[in-house]
Amino acid sequence: MSRLFIVGIGGTGSRVIKAFTMLLAAGVKANSPYEVVPLIIDPHSENKDLQRTERLLEKYEKVRNTLGDHEGFFSTKILRLSTIAESVQTQAGTTYRFELTDMERPFKNYIGYSSLEYPDKLMADFLFSGKSINQRSQSIDLIDLNMNIGFVGNPHIGSVVLNQFKESEEYKLLTNHFGEDDRLLIISSIFGGTGAAGFPIVLKNIREGNSASNSALLQNAKVGAITLLPYFKVMEEENSPIRQSDFIAKTKSALMYYKHNITGEKRLNAMYYLSDNKSTTPIANDPGQQGQQNDAHFIEFVAALGILDFMNMDDSSLKTEHGRAINPVYKHFGIKSDERSVEFVHLDKDTVKEVYEPMLSLALTEKYLKEELHHAVDSQVWSTEDTGGHLLKRAFFEQKHSFFNELAAFLEDYKQWFEEMAKNDRAFAPFLLDRQTAIANAVKGQSATKKKLFRHVEIGYDDFNDQLNAASRNLPFHSAEHKFVKVFSEAMADMVKKYYLLRQVN
């Protein structure tokens, strides 16, 4: 089976991988089967967005491994590098990140500052001049900054530190286990430090196949990139090295570099440029010492759709010779109208066709489990009868550290992801999942109804239970866990098709 290696760089890379994991959990998948191998490069190991994404991937992996191969929710396999390289005796690749070394050192150690001649020290002071802050919020020179809170918006520093990427065990595992039919996608922002610095380095080493036994294959690999231009604003803080006013200048500089050294050289098969200038509410200005946890954003969801698009591109459009793409493509994403709060009706019909049904199905599952499960578990056929050879008892839903608890925790993250996007600016608020809203009104602006006698009435949980019961009678299962997920995947998809067809899609 083909694999997609996703290299997410910095906080933005982590958040996009998180959004893509949500899509995979809902059962969204590529036209051809893929295994997904996510890898995160971030010197800021305490970055809360990085940590949230890692925990989410771990939950997904546990659920998916229990289920095995199946259709529906959690059907795409997510792998760690260590899983791919089972025969290799190494500790590398056991997490979802590239382990960067010596990040507690000040930056000047990376350039051997103390051993430089006086004129070279002056040049280093000039090139890496400026002020930053450390974890104690003290103002210090950039050259003395420890790297464990990231590059605080300074790609020229990041490009020096991240050169260790090509020497890492994770990089060697990736390149040496990269197959002819595999693809690689790099995700980064362009207006900060880590992403802007890391993207060219990763691409350069992949195309050159440094340290790889299959360097010729890597040179002509199918490689894409998703680059996020400014899509949020930050509060102005006098002592912070991160300034909103620098975002555009850094973006212009990076784009000029890309023009001459990446896109101009046809180093990529596909390039996705994503941005949003609608944001009006600035987020907290956190260079890193507070952990950098940002609310999920619509553009990160769009970037996740870009991953899906890249997976679906035909091999014939991703041909490369001698490290140069034959027909590179450049893509962007648009909505039908410039809305402050986006819903599915504002998206292209092809996008809706790919993701609306599975995403709503998982959202309805989360809402059902929170509001109806305690009523249904002892009274409905899908739970009480031994259909398909496996019985779901109350203990299945109550056992500590069980499969169900892991799944329920993931679904809580899924709901929170929507809540964060809904309160952001620009908002993405397609669903109403709060406990005060009837399940018939779960899609914003619509009401799910059925015909009863001579009128239409809103559907309720009785209708969901009927569909769940029918699914439990008609499907084969190989375990109680598989039965639970399969019944809900099928039943919720049928409910969407019957009652939640999206209106006003042209």
Side-chain angles (χ1 to χ4, degrees):
M1 182 181 291
S2 301
R3 292 184 177 126
L4 174 68
F5 293 84
I6 304 175
V7 180
I9 307 176
T12 298
S14 290
R15 292 191 293 274
V16 173
I17 289 176
K18 174 184 174 182
F20 186 60
T21 305
M22 297 299 188
L23 296 187
L24 296 184
V28 176
K29 58 183 180 180
N31 295 336
S32 299
Y34 273 90
E35 295 177 338
V36 175
V37 187
L39 304 156
I40 301 171
I41 300 177
D42 196 337
H44 186 195
S45 60
E46 298 304 313
N47 184 310
K48 292 180 180 177
D49 285 325
L50 164 62
Q51 294 174 351
R52 289 205 296 178
T53 298
E54 283 193 303
R55 288 194 297 269
L56 189 78
L57 289 168
E58 289 167 0
K59 293 172 189 174
Y60 185 105
E61 183 182 29
K62 289 178 181 178
V63 172
R64 176 60 176 75
N65 287 348
T66 301
L67 294 171
D69 293 337
H70 70 287
E71 294 295 322
F73 301 152
F74 298 89
S75 56
T76 296
K77 186 179 289 186
I78 292 180
L79 301 174
R80 306 175 193 229
L81 275 176
S82 58
T83 305
I84 297 172
E86 290 180 343
S87 61
V88 180
Q89 299 300 314
T90 177
Q91 294 300 310
T94 56
T95 69
Y96 292 105
R97 72 172 83 172
F98 282 97
E99 297 295 340
L100 301 172
T101 61
D102 298 325
M103 298 312 293
E104 297 291 335
R105 295 192 299 167
F107 172 70
K108 62 185 178 184
N109 285 22
Y110 281 88
I111 58 175
Y113 183 83
S114 61
S115 62
L116 294 176
E117 298 292 335
Y118 180 70
D120 294 327
K121 284 186 177 180
L122 290 178
M123 178 61 71
D125 289 335
F126 171 74
L127 290 175
F128 304 108
S129 61
K131 291 287 183 180
S132 187
I133 60 174
N134 62 14
Q135 288 181 310
R136 297 181 180 86
S137 299
Q138 299 169 330
S139 178
I140 62 172
D141 291 329
L142 282 176
I143 205 165
D144 293 315
L145 182 70
N146 285 350
M147 299 292 95
N148 58 354
I149 64 170
F151 307 131
V152 290
N154 295 283
H156 57 311
I157 288 180
S159 61
V160 175
V161 177
L162 290 178
N163 265 314
Q164 65 172 280
F165 162 79
K166 64 180 180 291
E167 305 300 332
S168 70
E169 290 299 317
E170 289 83 3
Y171 170 76
K172 294 173 184 176
L173 285 178
L174 187 162
T175 53
N176 290 328
H177 290 83
F178 192 92
E180 184 176 359
D181 296 326
D182 295 343
R183 301 183 183 190
L184 184 136
L185 185 65
I186 307 167
I187 303 169
S188 62
S189 68
I190 201 173
F191 53 94
T194 307
F199 167 39
I201 291 173
V202 172
L203 179 62
K204 176 178 182 293
N205 283 285
I206 290 296
R207 281 302 189 209
E208 293 179 359
N210 290 337
S211 305
S213 59
N214 54 354
S215 58
L217 186 154
L218 287 166
Q219 184 183 41
N220 294 324
K222 306 171 187 70
V223 181
I226 297 177
T227 295
L228 279 74
L229 285 69
Y231 66 98
F232 59 81
K233 296 179 180 178
V234 297
M235 297 177 182
E236 291 296 337
E237 296 287 347
E238 182 178 353
N239 295 322
S240 174
I242 297 178
R243 299 185 182 278
Q244 178 69 39
S245 56
D246 293 339
F247 282 6
I248 297 301
K250 290 180 178 179
T251 298
K252 288 181 178 178
S253 297
L255 287 174
M256 185 62 69
Y257 176 85
Y258 292 179
K259 177 182 178 181
H260 291 289
N261 297 282
I262 296 179
T263 56
E265 293 292 317
K266 297 185 177 181
R267 306 289 275 178
L268 289 166
N269 299 99
M271 181 74 161
Y272 297 77
Y273 290 103
L274 300 174
S275 180
D276 188 8
N277 61 4
K278 192 71 171 181
S279 176
T280 58
T281 304
I283 65 174
N285 190 319
D286 177 12
Q289 72 273 23
Q290 301 301 322
Q292 286 184 330
Q293 179 169 308
N294 298 326
D295 285 341
H297 197 286
F298 172 62
I299 287 297
E300 295 152 11
F301 165 69
V302 171
L305 295 177
I307 301 176
L308 186 65
D309 182 82
F310 180 67
M311 295 169 76
N312 285 334
M313 290 184 69
D314 190 82
D315 282 344
S316 62
S317 61
L318 298 173
K319 290 184 178 180
T320 309
E321 290 183 0
H322 308 297
R324 300 290 187 270
I326 296 176
N327 293 303
V329 297
Y330 306 95
K331 298 191 175 187
H332 61 272
F333 184 91
I335 54 179
K336 291 180 179 179
S337 56
D338 193 13
E339 304 290 338
R340 292 288 293 272
S341 183
V342 179
E343 301 166 26
F344 274 104
V345 293
H346 304 127
L347 305 182
D348 180 81
K349 62 181 180 180
D350 291 333
T351 300
V352 172
K353 183 178 179 181
E354 283 187 311
V355 302
Y356 172 72
E357 179 188 301
M359 291 181 71
L360 176 56
S361 295
L362 192 61
L364 292 174
T365 297
E366 190 278 333
K367 191 170 176 64
Y368 179 99
L369 295 180
K370 281 293 179 65
E371 298 178 5
E372 177 64 12
L373 178 62
H374 63 288
H375 297 302
V377 69
D378 292 324
S379 62
Q380 296 300 319
V381 169
W382 68 264
S383 176
T384 60
E385 293 189 11
D386 189 7
T387 55
H390 296 281
L391 179 64
L392 294 173
K393 299 180 180 179
R394 180 171 286 274
F396 178 85
F397 305 101
E398 295 179 345
Q399 184 180 354
K400 291 182 178 179
H401 310 298
S402 68
F403 165 85
F404 177 76
N405 287 335
E406 201 73 55
L407 175 62
F410 190 101
L411 294 179
E412 185 62 34
D413 291 336
Y414 186 68
K415 178 175 178 286
Q416 182 181 349
W417 178 59
F418 277 109
E419 290 173 343
E420 290 181 9
M421 287 193 290
K423 67 182 181 183
N424 221 320
D425 188 12
R426 160 185 339 250
F428 182 50
F431 305 142
L432 299 173
L433 304 177
D434 59 278
R435 306 308 170 217
Q436 290 72 42
T437 301
I439 198 163
N441 301 315
V443 177
K444 191 174 181 180
Q446 293 192 191
S447 178
T449 63
K450 63 180 179 179
K451 192 172 183 180
K452 189 173 183 179
L453 296 177
F454 301 104
R455 60 194 179 95
H456 282 82
V457 297
E458 288 188 349
I459 64 169
Y461 282 121
D462 286 345
D463 302 288
F464 280 82
N465 285 324
D466 289 344
Q467 200 67 52
L468 288 164
N469 292 337
S472 71
R473 295 188 181 102
N474 298 327
L475 296 170
F477 314 110
H478 57 69
S479 67
E481 292 83 2
H482 179 245
K483 175 181 178 179
F484 177 78
V485 170
K486 189 67 173 176
V487 165
F488 273 82
S489 295
E490 293 286 338
M492 294 302 169
D494 287 340
M495 291 298 291
V496 174
K497 293 170 185 173
K498 286 182 178 180
Y499 303 114
Y500 292 91
L501 288 178
L502 195 64
R503 303 180 190 126
Q504 301 173 19
V505 177
N506 297 323

